[in-house]
Amino acid sequence: MEIRELKSFDDHKSVVDLQRAVWGAADIDILAPLSLRAAVAAGNLLLGVFDGDRIVGFLYGFLGMLDGQIELHSDMAGLLHEYRDRGLGYRLKLAQREWALARAIRLVTWTFDPLRSRNAYFNFHKLGAISDSYRVNFYGEDSTSILHRNGTDRLWMSWEIDTDRVCDRIAGVRPPPIEGAPIVSIGSVSEPLRHRVANDAPRVTIQIPLDPDAVPPDLAVRWREVTREAFLERIDAGYRVIDANQGVYLLERRV
C-alpha cells in the first residue's frame, strides 16, 4: 500500500468515484475535479492511498486562517469499505501531519459527527486531538450521504500536531482511564438518559451508542437532541472534550 500526493488531473478525477463509493453522496455533495485541480495547484493537500495502481482512499485538506493562525483544515478523508480497519486512516493522518510540519503549520482541524463512536476514539484517544466547539447542523439539516441522515451536527476538532500530548499519542502513550460524572448515559432500552451534574465538576462524561446505524430512527433523533444539548451546555460552561473510548466522551473543565 502506498500513500502519495495526487498531482495529475486524472488523479483528481479518480477521487470523484471514491466520494460516491465511500459516502453514497449525490453529485451536489461531491467535490469536483476542477475544484481539486485548482486547490492543489494553489498549494493545498490531496493524498491518495493506492493498492498497486488502484486508488482506494484519499484525504483532502486546504489552508485556512483561524484566530490569526494558519491552519490546515482536513475537509475530507475516506477509504473503500474493504480497506478499512487496516490502519490506513491512521497512516493518512500521519502523512498529513508530516506534510503540515514541513510547511511550519502547527494546527490541523476537521469536523466529525459526535454520534460516531469509532471516529471519536480515533480522533481523541488515538490522535490526541481536542474539541471546544460544537456546530449544530454544520452542513445544513439534510445530507445525501447514507451515513448522515440525522442532521449534520459536528464537533470541530483541533489537532495541535507538535504538542507533547500529540507526540505522546503517536508514540503509543495512552491517557488514563476515562473517569467523570455522567451527564448522559444509555438506559435499559438503549435510550439516552440525562443526569444533573454541577457546572463546577472537574470532569464529566457523555455516553453514546457504539453502533449508531443500529439505533432505530426515532431513537436516533432523540440521541441527537440529548447529546447536542449536553455538549453545548458544557462547552458553553467552559469545558472541552479531551478523550473518547468505548462510546464514552470525557470533558474537562478548563481552569
Side-chain angles (χ1 to χ4, degrees), residues 2-5 45-49 58-61 72 74 87-103 105 108 122 127 159 161 170:
E2 178 191 9
I3 295 176
R4 63 172 174 81
E5 290 189 56
L45 175 64
L46 183 61
L47 294 173
V49 183
F58 78 102
L59 182 151
Y60 169 63
L72 177 66
S74 188
L88 293 171
Y90 187 62
R91 285 180 57 189
L92 271 172
K93 294 303 288 186
L94 293 186
Q96 180 186 60
R97 178 177 180 266
E98 291 176 5
W99 186 94
L101 288 173
R103 289 157 180 80
I105 298 168
V108 179
F122 181 76
L127 293 177
W159 195 31
I161 56 178
I170 292 172

Side-chain angles (χ1 to χ4, degrees), residues 53-214:
D53 294 331
R54 182 191 183 199
I55 185 168
V56 300
F58 78 102
L59 182 151
Y60 169 63
F62 55 82
L63 300 176
M65 183 73 71
L66 189 65
D67 297 328
Q69 180 181 0
I70 294 176
E71 56 139 353
L72 177 66
H73 185 74
S74 188
D75 186 46
M76 289 184 175
L79 289 161
L80 295 178
H81 181 77
E82 61 268 33
Y83 287 89
R84 296 170 192 170
D85 299 320
R86 298 190 188 186
L88 293 171
Y90 187 62
R91 285 180 57 189
L92 271 172
K93 294 303 288 186
L94 293 186
Q96 180 186 60
R97 178 177 180 266
E98 291 176 5
W99 186 94
L101 288 173
R103 289 157 180 80
I105 298 168
R106 299 292 182 261
L107 175 64
V108 179
T109 64
W110 64 91
T111 67
F112 85 100
D113 185 341
L115 290 179
R116 295 269 159 191
S117 63
R118 287 167 60 89
N119 291 0
Y121 171 83
F122 181 76
N123 292 333
F124 291 103
H125 200 78
K126 195 163 184 179
L127 293 177
I130 61 172
S131 177
D132 61 3
S133 179
Y134 187 100
R135 313 290 176 98
V136 177
N137 282 327
F138 185 64
Y139 294 108
E141 294 185 4
D142 300 309
S143 169
T144 63
S145 169
I146 58 175
L147 297 178
H148 305 293
R149 292 181 175 171
N150 185 21
T152 63
D153 285 18
R154 297 290 185 268
L155 279 172
W156 182 278
M157 304 302 302
S158 295
W159 195 31
E160 297 177 289
I161 56 178
D162 63 347
T163 60
D164 289 343
R165 171 190 176 86
V166 171
C167 291
D168 283 348
R169 293 292 191 281
I170 292 172
V173 178
R174 293 293 172 251
I178 289 178
E179 295 180 350
I183 58 175
V184 176
S185 65
I186 300 176
S188 59
V189 291
S190 299
E191 80 280 14
L193 298 179
R194 194 77 158 86
H195 308 281
R196 290 184 176 274
V197 175
N199 275 343
D200 60 354
R203 292 187 168 194
V204 298
T205 63
I206 294 175
Q207 187 177 20
I208 61 172
L210 286 174
D211 184 2
D213 298 322

